[in-house]
Structure formats: C-alpha cells, structure tokens
Amino acid sequence: MSIVERLRADRNLPDEELKTLLESDRFDEELFKAADEVRRSVYGTEVFLRGLIEFTNYCKNDCLYCGIRRSNTADRYRLSKERILDCCKTGYKLGYRTFVLQGGEDPFYTDDVLCEIVSSIRHFYPGCAITLSIGERSEESYRRLFESGANRFLLRHETADEEHYAILHPGEMSLANRKQCLFNLKKTGYQVGSGFMVGSPYQTMHNIISDLRFLQELSPDMIGIGPFLPAAGTPFENFPQGSVKLTLRLISVLRLMFPHALIPSTTALGTLHPQGRELGLKAGANVVMPNLSPVEYRGKYSIYDNKICTGEESAQCKDCLRMRIESAGYEISDSVGDVRRVY
Ligand code: 5AD
Ligand code: FES
C-alpha cells in the first residue's frame, strides 16, 4: 500500500511518514484525489457557508502575529446588537443558516451583553446555528453563552508546541489555558473547532506534527487552518507568508485523518492565491466563510494585510462564491451544516 493509502485506511501515520508526505510534492496528486474521494463519501459535493460577522476589533491580547493586537494602532470599532441583527437579517435573506460572531477579546462584551445578543439571534433565527469565535473565557461564561443559544465555537490552538506558543504570544497567555478552554467547550456541549496557522514565524515541521497530534487528542468537529500572512505594525510584519502548497497538503492530510470534520477553505488561503479557496475545496475542504460584516467596517478587521472581500456587498460575495464553488465542482448547501459525527 502507498503511504497515502495507508493514511486513508488507518486515519493515521507515524511522524516520519507524515513529514515525508508534507515535505515533498511527489504524493500531491494521489493525496488530493484521496482527500476529495473521502470528502465526497461523507459530505457529497456540498459546501457549507458560514456568514462571518466581525463584531469588534478591540482586543485585550497582544498575540505577536495579529494585526488587531492591543499594541497595534488600529481604527477600533464595535457593533451594537441591532447592527449585528441587521447582518443576520441580510445573511438569512441570502440563504445563510450559520452566523459566526468573531471578534477580538473585548471586555466590553461581558457575559450579560453577549448572552443578550446570542439569545436575540436565537429568537429571530431559531433554525440557525450560532457560532462564537471570541477567544478564551471562563467555563461559566462558555456555559452561559451555550444556554443562551450558541451551539458552535471556534478557538484555534494556534500551535501545540509550548516553546513555539511562547514565541507567538505574550507571557500572560499559555498553551495550557488554551487547551483547557477547548476541553471546557467540548464538555459544555459545543461543536468545537480548532486549528493553526501554516508557516507562522519559527514554525518547524516538528511543530506541525505536534499540531496534528493535538488535534487527534481533541478530536474537534471543525478544523481551520490558513497560511500565516504578515500584518503591518506587528513584530512579525516582515516575516515571510505561509506556503499555499503546504496549506493544501495539510488540508488533504486533515481530511484523511478526520473524514467527518468540517474544514474551511479560508479567506487567508484566498488572499494568498487568486484561486486559493477553490484549491482548498479540491484538496478536501467543505466550508467557506463569507464576510457578512457591514462593508464600512471590513477594512478595519485587519488581522493580516491585503485581506480579500473587504469591498464587496454581502450579496456580491455570495454570487462570487457560488461561481467559484461551482467552478471547482461542488455546490452550496442550503442546510445548517452540522458535523456528521461518527459513533
Ligand atoms: N495571518 C494569518 N492568520 C492569522 N490569524 C491571526 N493573525 C493572522 C495572520 N497574521 C488567525 C489566527 C486566529 C484567526 C482568527 O486568524 O489563527 O485564530
Ligand atoms: Fe487578539 Fe490574539 S491579538 S486574541
């Protein structure tokens, strides 16, 4: 059996073989084909859309790679509950059945404030999924938000290697706490997404293998990876961007290791390559997260430079994406797109 066939059959490989697969282009054709077959066997040709609402770019953290870190100069904004509900309304009309509330870690949004926002969305859109991507909070906070109607949570672990984590983050943040948050989220009942950046400063292949091993331990429902892109004004502004090829290979490897996972073809991938998102879908991804934020704020949510889709109206984004998804051989699903778990 070839190395790709073994990864597919066992959903696993020894470290050395994972490295071989990721470091060479010899297996690419076979790898992408196997990942696409597995994706089709679980999810058919469906692509799930998640309407992304970037509701605040205030952040109390100072991650060294991030353009909205607290020490970076940025034009800060917050969206009111009414404005957020407006975005949901626009999204619902366009067919979106998942809303992702993403923001920096902004203390303005206390549990009371956020629970009120979440329960209003739940009230107006009972059949929709509400995903939060708001960083590290207490177990109690995660529980209250869940009880208010949120049912999915995205929190990338960013890197599963302690030393590498300490290079990318300020001293007051820890990998241990990040992991604890992820396990708390699972325990609370959320569908949980994690993931990491590809090609972040000082990342080694050994780090990436640790990321895959951590994901096996966590067994998340969603896995988001995207290339690192430098952000102006940050300590890493002059570091090289991540590789499209390696990101695509990793998407395929993840699809073979986690056949049932929801894997987005990320905006970062689309930013790095004009057909990045189509290539991601062909490599095994099955989710796209178009921007639903009000156009006047989009440019301000600049976690990295040159982000795409910051000028388009939401309806234009949807049309553009439909074309891209269909040209890649898939179709937009109109379902809420829950994970198909294996028991
Ligand atoms: N390049 C690529 N991805 C980034 N993120 C943050 N900053 C960058 C960057 N400069 C990713 C992180 C975070 C997600 C919302 O965006 O992985 O979890
Ligand atoms: Fe905001 Fe990292 S800079 S969470």
Side-chain angles (χ1 to χ4, degrees):
M1 269 212 266
S2 74
I3 183 170
V4 172
E5 283 166 1
R6 271 189 297 117
L7 173 59
R8 179 178 183 162
D10 301 343
R11 300 181 185 178
N12 203 1
L13 278 179
D15 290 1
E16 279 313 310
E17 290 187 308
L18 279 172
K19 274 190 196 158
T20 308
L21 200 53
L22 292 169
E23 276 169 347
S24 133
D25 55 14
R26 240 175 331 143
F27 309 98
D28 282 354
E29 205 179 319
E30 189 192 356
L31 178 64
F32 296 155
K33 184 164 171 284
D36 188 52
E37 281 170 15
V38 167
R39 166 254 159 66
R40 283 172 194 262
S41 74
V42 182
Y43 287 102
T45 53
E46 280 183 293
V47 173
F48 304 106
L49 295 188
R50 319 299 194 196
L52 183 65
I53 304 168
E54 297 156 336
F55 70 98
T56 172
N57 70 350
Y58 282 85
C59 190
K60 68 175 162 66
N61 284 338
D62 219 13
C63 307
L64 278 75
Y65 45 83
C66 185
I68 63 166
R69 67 199 295 262
R70 69 160 185 262
S71 1
N72 216 13
T73 320
D75 194 0
R76 307 280 171 174
Y77 73 90
R78 294 185 173 112
L79 300 189
S80 65
K81 179 177 87 172
E82 290 67 31
R83 208 65 210 268
I84 294 171
L85 284 168
D86 270 350
C87 296
C88 296
K89 189 173 177 184
T90 306
Y92 193 86
K93 279 195 211 144
L94 290 170
Y96 296 123
R97 294 296 176 265
T98 296
F99 304 116
V100 182
L101 297 186
Q102 184 172 88
E105 291 195 16
D106 180 355
F108 173 87
Y109 295 91
T110 58
D111 291 348
D112 285 345
V113 171
L114 264 182
C115 284
E116 170 62 27
I117 293 171
V118 169
S119 53
S120 299
I121 300 176
R122 178 55 67 227
H123 171 77
F124 289 112
Y125 305 99
C128 292
I130 303 174
T131 307
L132 299 176
S133 177
I134 53 174
E136 300 176 13
R137 297 175 83 100
S138 68
E139 191 175 357
E140 158 83 3
S141 169
Y142 289 153
R143 189 184 52 73
R144 285 192 56 196
L145 290 161
F146 186 80
E147 285 167 359
S148 301
N151 59 328
R152 299 183 189 148
F153 204 107
L154 304 177
L155 183 71
R156 290 188 181 176
H157 66 276
E158 311 297 359
T159 174
D161 181 287
E162 293 277 3
E163 275 175 37
H164 190 223
Y165 194 92
I167 294 174
L168 299 183
H169 300 95
E172 66 269 17
M173 290 178 76
S174 80
L175 179 59
N177 193 52
R178 196 96 182 153
K179 288 183 173 177
Q180 189 58 55
C181 285
L182 283 161
F183 288 107
N184 289 345
L185 286 162
K186 269 192 93 163
K187 194 167 69 177
T188 307
Y190 288 94
Q191 291 176 45
V192 172
S194 196
F196 56 94
M197 285 177 288
V198 180
S200 56
Y202 305 102
Q203 184 184 55
T204 62
M205 191 48 77
H206 177 76
N207 295 154
I208 293 178
I209 303 298
S210 307
D211 290 322
L212 299 176
R213 297 300 175 214
F214 172 66
L215 290 171
Q216 285 179 315
E217 185 190 333
L218 178 69
S219 179
D221 302 300
M222 293 91 80
I223 305 174
I225 62 164
F228 164 76
L229 294 161
T234 64
F236 295 148
E237 68 179 346
N238 293 317
F239 276 71
Q241 55 197 22
S243 141
V244 176
K245 270 258 168 99
L246 181 56
T247 306
L248 294 174
R249 262 178 223 144
L250 272 162
I251 289 176
S252 293
V253 165
L254 288 167
R255 173 58 65 206
L256 296 177
M257 291 176 83
F258 304 93
H260 294 77
L262 292 156
I263 302 177
S265 192
T266 55
T267 306
L269 193 53
T271 297
L272 199 47
H273 187 289
Q275 269 82 48
R277 283 169 303 174
E278 292 89 319
L279 292 170
L281 293 174
K282 289 184 184 172
N286 61 338
V287 169
V288 181
M289 299 171 65
N291 203 323
L292 267 185
S293 313
V295 176
E296 72 255 44
Y297 296 109
R298 287 193 195 174
K300 301 186 202 291
Y301 200 82
S302 49
I303 50 181
Y304 49 77
D305 298 346
N306 307 315
K307 198 165 140 212
I308 51 168
C309 310
T310 51
E312 265 68 44
E313 287 295 339
S314 302
Q316 285 174 286
C317 274
K318 172 94 192 262
D319 291 341
C320 161
L321 275 172
R322 177 182 297 283
M323 202 194 67
R324 288 172 183 270
I325 289 165
E326 290 176 0
S327 77
Y330 307 97
E331 60 208 342
I332 293 180
S333 166
D334 55 16
S335 85
V336 68
D338 281 319
V339 66
R340 293 183 192 154
R341 281 196 183 125
V342 257
Y343 292 103

